[in-house]
Amino acid sequence: MDSVFPVDLLLLALVVVIGVATIRARDLLASTLLLGVYSLLMALVWTNMFAMDVAFTEAAVGAGISTVLLLGTLIVVGREERPSRGPHGAALLVTILTGAALLYGTTDMPAFGDPNAPVHTDAVGRKYIAQEVGKVHPVAHHHDDTHHDEAHHDGADHSADDHEPDTSAPAEHHGGSSEIHGDPAQDAHHGDYGTHVPNLVTAVLAAYRGYDTMFETAVIFTAGVCLIVLLRDRRSPPKETEAAA
Amino acid sequence: MNPVLIASVLVLIGLALVLIRTLRGPGVFDRILGVNMIGTKAVILLCLLGFLEDRGGFLDIALLYALINFVGTIAILKFVEFRRLGA
């Protein structure tokens, strides 16, 4: 952890420089390019925090798709920003106040990687880590516990591919318990990842993928509806941005 | 001092130098080249970080970065050349 610190410090300093430069640049193409670099470096920072999924998403969406979408916007709005009349006083004040409030909020957060953080000690959090929220116990045997977790985890993984994960997950759990039990491939890795997922977020995502996917779909649907409402009926719809997306 | 850490810091310093060119660069192509090079350096840095923390999984993300960097550069160049992104 310590050896990563100087790298993180330099990375974040570069990110700040890029952020300021992005705001100040008059050339919108330069701003777009700098935003791509910003996302790339932020993804590196996420990687340093072992937040692999966040880093993946940041790199793919922030540096990849966003850049292309912003370029599609530049086709419509042109490359040069109009000269502004200096900073807007009220907006600056609101921004500074919001930033101060957020920074004040972070003082209540537990330290990064703190094992005594509320997420780890809270009753619900422990249940999430053990992956037994809403879990039906078909067999009451004591020594079967580890295999339960595996069976549940495995069933949830399958359910991510299903079309109706919410209904199929419990059924698979009931049926899969016995067949996983004798599977040598599953028994082979009984390390950190064999019996349960050590990371809380990953545990929730892996074990409750069905809900996760359901709400993600709702969010994406809402975003799509908003985009359609915003973009309809303006001259002729720009074909370029559609192709780029 | 960890040699991998020294290498990482050196790559970061190089990244800062390229960033200066990207920020100042009078022409569009200076900026595009700068951004492309920053992406390459990010890939290298990611690999180095993987060795720094003994995490082999970093290499997968490095591959993803390399691909995204390529696609992004193509898109930007196409925009500069043709003023549109479609066929």
Side-chain angles (χ1 to χ4, degrees), chain A residues 3-4 33 43 50 52 56 59, chain B residues 5 46 53 58 64-65 68 76:
Chain A
S3 63
V4 178
L33 294 176
F50 298 144
M52 291 304 168
F56 256 106
Chain B
L5 178 61
L46 203 52
E53 294 158 22
F58 281 27
L64 176 80
Y65 276 29
I68 285 175
I76 292 164

Side-chain angles (χ1 to χ4, degrees), chain A residues 1 3-4 6-8 10-11 14 17-18 21-22 27 29-30 33-34 36-37 39-44 47-48 50 52 55-57 59-61 63-64 67-69 71-72 74-75 79 193 239-240 243-244, chain B residues 2 5 8-10 12-13 15-17 19 22-23 28 31-32 34-36 38-43 45-46 49 52-53 55 57-58 60-61 64-65 68-69 71-72 75-77 79-80 83-87:
Chain A
M1 185 49 63
S3 63
V4 178
V7 177
D8 251 353
L10 279 171
L11 269 179
L14 287 177
V17 170
I18 292 171
T22 307
D27 185 358
L29 179 62
L33 294 176
L34 287 174
V37 175
S39 287
L40 213 57
L41 295 189
M42 274 317 284
L44 280 180
T47 318
N48 270 340
F50 298 144
M52 291 304 168
F56 256 106
T57 314
V61 174
T67 306
V68 177
L69 285 181
L71 284 178
L74 284 193
I75 293 167
R79 255 190 66 182
Y193 297 90
K239 285 274 186 271
E240 288 88 353
Chain B
N2 190 346
L5 178 61
S8 307
V9 172
L10 285 179
L12 270 169
I13 291 171
L15 208 154
L17 290 176
L19 186 63
T22 311
L23 295 182
V28 180
R31 295 184 199 276
I32 292 174
V35 167
N36 196 12
I38 287 175
T40 312
K41 283 190 184 302
V43 171
L45 193 62
L46 203 52
L49 286 174
L52 196 63
E53 294 158 22
R55 292 243 168 175
F58 281 27
D60 298 338
I61 302 185
L64 176 80
Y65 276 29
I68 285 175
N69 199 18
V71 173
I76 292 164
L77 284 173
F79 168 77
V80 171
R83 294 284 150 192
R84 60 202 173 92
L85 292 171

Side-chain angles (χ1 to χ4, degrees), chain A residues 44-198:
Chain A
L44 280 180
V45 176
W46 298 132
T47 318
N48 270 340
M49 293 178 167
F50 298 144
M52 291 304 168
D53 41 356
V54 184
F56 256 106
T57 314
E58 179 80 43
V61 174
I65 298 296
S66 284
T67 306
V68 177
L69 285 181
L70 282 175
L71 284 178
T73 313
L74 284 193
I75 293 167
V76 181
V77 302
R79 255 190 66 182
E80 286 292 324
E81 187 181 348
R82 267 182 311 197
S84 61
R85 308 175 302 274
H88 192 286
L92 191 65
L93 188 70
V94 168
T95 311
I96 289 175
L97 282 181
T98 312
L102 288 175
L103 281 178
Y104 174 71
T106 57
T107 56
D108 269 352
M109 278 169 62
F112 177 66
D114 184 11
N116 294 320
V119 272
H120 299 302
T121 55
D122 186 61
V124 179
R126 272 207 300 271
K127 278 190 171 182
Y128 269 132
I129 291 177
Q131 299 179 22
E132 42 184 34
V133 174
K135 188 163 126 183
V136 189
H137 285 273
V139 198
H141 289 321
H142 238 344
H143 61 273
D144 254 9
D145 268 353
T146 55
H147 296 295
H148 271 341
D149 283 352
E150 247 178 47
H152 184 78
H153 183 195
D154 200 59
D157 265 356
H158 283 312
S159 73
D161 300 328
D162 280 351
H163 293 294
E164 296 177 344
D166 294 336
T167 55
S168 66
E172 273 192 29
H173 173 65
H174 278 294
S177 185
S178 59
E179 55 178 79
I180 301 297
H181 185 82
D183 191 353
Q186 287 292 326
D187 286 348
H189 32 77
H190 255 236
D192 277 349
Y193 297 90
T195 52
H196 72 288
V197 186

